[in-house]
């Protein structure tokens, strides 16, 4: 009567039977017996359905060594547990019953594996943190996109690996896939450094080596401003909504994200006139901008039923993309395209023009720098640049700027 080893629930019995077979105790149906024993062992360790071409069990770690005779020998142990070597041989993917018996025996004897906190675990903690949740939706979306890419590469790795100096080289290799896009290449490094700084602060790691990764994207736009002649060329041909957009940009210096949200509610009376109170979208700090004569006319010409000062051609709210793209299209039609003038004149470049306007309105360099989010040096450099490209204002602007510099020192 042939025993049904396929139903064997005790791996020890199967191993004893297997030793009997290896001792050449002959059974008439030896191949079937061997198959039954192997299935019993596989069922015991949860591997019965594993394809012959699949990888090794998840818990198995394999190393290799080249012997003196040139042959390659394979050594098998339990992953992450020292002193658990259970098999060696010349097969890279052993499938014998002996191999699985040894594996099952090693798993039975091994101590529980110490808990390892993975990088993906800490990323999940970061997503749940107050630090992440207080970010703006757009920033959260950007961080998620890049940290998801990061965890696709390094998620299973222990978070402690970032305390090893060579981990810096691993990040450099990973982000090199975006080297053709300098902004993305730099942003990948910035998000990783931000995340690891948070992990250090929260005591997941003691230190890391990914701070100050080299940047590729370098651009200096301080020499690019809208001159009075540039403004006149666009106003001559552009529709009203584009003209109003350019006036607001060159008179206030607000970024595009703040311009499209500018409303009547932000205009306040002062003893000497009016000012615009705005909480800047980039830094979240309050700024108070004097309403110039030209900006005042724009506000007064806005329909009384219209809350937003700037709208599109259909009197609907503008998006930042539509505002920038709309001005770009009419800039090109006015002959100010990059191919013609040699540089890319953008909506945000109106900030240098606005800084000059605000200086003439009596603001100090410190106040202008605060409104624009610049240093004093940058504010002065932008105004000097504007004075050079605007001959009709050069003497007056430079005189006021010289006085402002003296007051600032």
């Amino acid at each position: 009567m042939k025993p049904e080893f396929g139903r064997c629930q005790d791996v020890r019995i199967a191993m004893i039977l297997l030793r009997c077979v290896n001792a050449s105790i002959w059974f008439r149906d030896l191949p079937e017996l061997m198959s039954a024993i192997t299935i019993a062992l596989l069922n015991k360790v949860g591997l019965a359905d594993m394809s012959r071409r699949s990888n090794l069990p998840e818990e198995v770690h394999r190393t290799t060594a080249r012997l003196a005779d040139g042959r390659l020998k394979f050594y098998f142990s339990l992953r992450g547990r020292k002193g658990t070597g259970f098999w060696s041989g010349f097969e890279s993917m052993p499938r014998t019953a002996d191999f699985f018996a040894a594996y099952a025996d090693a798993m039975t004897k091994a101590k529980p594996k110490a808990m390892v906190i993975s990088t993906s675990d800490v990323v999940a903690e970061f997503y749940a943190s107050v630090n992440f949740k207080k970010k703006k939706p757009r920033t959260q979306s950007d961080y998620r996109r890049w940290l998801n890419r990061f965890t696709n590469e390094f998620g299973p790795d222990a978070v402690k690996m970032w305390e090893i100096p060579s981990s810096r080289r691993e990040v450099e290799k990973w982000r090199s896939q975006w080297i053709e896009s300098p902004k993305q290449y730099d942003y990948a490094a910035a998000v990783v450094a931000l995340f690891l700084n948070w992990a250090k602060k929260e005591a997941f790691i003691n230190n890391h080596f990914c701070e100050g990764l080299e940047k590729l994207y370098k651009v200096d736009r301080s020499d690019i401003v809208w001159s009075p002649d540039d403004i006149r060329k666009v106003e001559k041909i552009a529709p009203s909504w584009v003209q109003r957009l350019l006036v607001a940009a060159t008179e206030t210096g607000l970024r595009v994200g703040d311009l499209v949200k500018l409303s009547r509610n932000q205009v306040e009376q002062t003893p000497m006139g009016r000012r615009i109170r705005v909480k800047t979208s980039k830094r979240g700090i309050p700024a108070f901008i004097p309403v110039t004569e030209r900006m005042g006319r724009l506000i007064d010409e806005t329909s009384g039923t219209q809350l937003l000062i700037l709208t599109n051609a259909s009197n609907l709210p503008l998006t930042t993309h539509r505002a920038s793209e709309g001005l770009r299209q009419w800039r090109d039609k006015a002959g100010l395209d990059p191919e013609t003038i040699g540089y890319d004149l953008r909506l945000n470049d109106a900030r240098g023009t606005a800084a000059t306007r605000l200086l003439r309105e009596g603001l100090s360099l410190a106040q202008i720098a605060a409104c624009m989010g610049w240093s004093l040096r940058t504010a002065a450099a932008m105004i000097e640049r504007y004075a050079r490209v605007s001959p009709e204002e050069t003497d007056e602007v430079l005189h006021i700027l010289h006085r402002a510099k003296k007051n600032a020192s």
Side-chain angles (χ1 to χ4, degrees), residues 87-118:
W87 189 262
S88 64
F90 296 101
E91 284 187 77
S92 62
M93 297 286 291
R95 295 283 177 177
T96 64
D98 281 341
F99 173 81
F100 288 110
Y103 169 50
D105 192 42
M107 287 288 289
T108 301
K109 295 176 180 178
K111 294 179 180 179
K113 187 162 55 174
M115 186 181 72
V116 176
I117 301 176
S118 69

Side-chain angles (χ1 to χ4, degrees), residues 38-291:
T38 301
I39 290 172
L41 291 171
L42 291 176
N43 284 331
K44 183 67 178 178
V45 297
L47 300 167
D49 296 327
M50 190 170 68
S51 164
R52 293 187 62 83
R53 293 190 177 184
S54 68
N55 293 326
L56 292 166
E58 187 177 341
E59 288 285 344
V60 175
H61 177 64
R62 181 183 66 194
T63 58
T64 60
R66 182 73 65 179
L67 303 183
D69 61 7
R71 291 184 299 167
L72 199 62
K73 193 169 185 179
F74 299 89
Y75 298 86
F76 301 84
S77 61
L78 300 184
R79 190 177 300 278
R81 309 186 206 190
K82 292 182 179 179
T84 57
F86 65 87
W87 189 262
S88 64
F90 296 101
E91 284 187 77
S92 62
M93 297 286 291
R95 295 283 177 177
T96 64
D98 281 341
F99 173 81
F100 288 110
Y103 169 50
D105 192 42
M107 287 288 289
T108 301
K109 295 176 180 178
K111 294 179 180 179
K113 187 162 55 174
M115 186 181 72
V116 176
I117 301 176
S118 69
T119 299
S120 58
D121 291 335
V122 182
V123 169
E125 292 285 345
F126 176 65
Y127 288 157
S129 70
V130 174
N131 185 289
F132 178 78
K133 290 182 176 179
K134 72 181 183 181
K135 303 294 183 187
K136 294 182 179 178
R138 171 63 186 273
T139 303
Q140 288 188 20
S141 175
D142 290 341
Y143 284 2
R144 278 188 183 277
R145 182 168 65 254
W146 282 100
L147 286 176
N148 286 346
R149 291 172 176 174
F150 181 66
T151 53
N152 285 342
E153 182 73 19
F154 302 109
D157 296 317
V159 73
K160 288 290 186 179
M161 74 168 275
W162 303 110
E163 296 179 355
I164 303 171
S166 60
S167 63
R168 184 184 181 95
R169 187 165 61 249
E170 293 298 320
V171 171
E172 290 285 23
K173 288 179 182 177
W174 166 71
R175 70 174 182 143
S176 66
Q177 59 191 299
W178 296 286
I179 201 166
E180 298 302 324
S181 176
K183 284 186 177 181
Q184 292 194 76
Y185 181 81
D186 292 349
Y187 197 68
V191 173
V192 169
L194 179 143
F195 162 68
L196 292 176
N197 284 339
W198 177 86
K200 178 182 175 182
K201 180 182 174 184
E202 297 297 319
F204 287 105
I205 55 176
N206 296 319
N207 198 8
H208 73 88
F209 294 86
C210 297
E211 195 75 74
L213 293 169
E214 185 179 358
K215 293 183 177 181
L216 285 183
Y217 185 74
K218 296 177 182 178
V219 61
D220 180 8
R221 301 187 61 83
S222 61
D223 279 351
I224 302 176
V225 294
W226 284 81
S227 70
D229 189 48
D230 295 334
I231 297 169
R232 283 192 290 267
K233 285 180 179 178
V234 173
E235 289 181 336
K236 187 176 180 179
I237 63 168
S240 173
W241 74 270
V242 175
Q243 293 182 39
R244 289 171 59 85
L245 175 64
L246 187 54
V247 168
T250 54
E251 296 295 323
T252 66
L254 291 172
R255 292 183 177 86
V256 185
D258 297 317
L259 279 173
V260 299
K261 294 185 288 187
L262 190 60
S263 73
R264 289 179 175 277
N265 294 338
Q266 294 171 275
V267 182
E268 301 175 340
Q269 293 293 326
T270 66
M272 301 294 292
R274 289 180 288 184
R275 70 180 185 181
I276 296 171
R277 172 182 45 82
V278 60
K279 189 175 183 180
T280 58
S281 58
K282 185 169 184 179
R283 291 179 173 81
I285 58 175
F288 299 93
I289 304 168
V291 174

Side-chain angles (χ1 to χ4, degrees), residues 300-311:
D300 294 338
E301 291 168 0
T302 304
S303 170
T305 60
Q306 186 175 304
L307 180 62
L308 291 174
I309 292 173
L310 301 173
T311 58

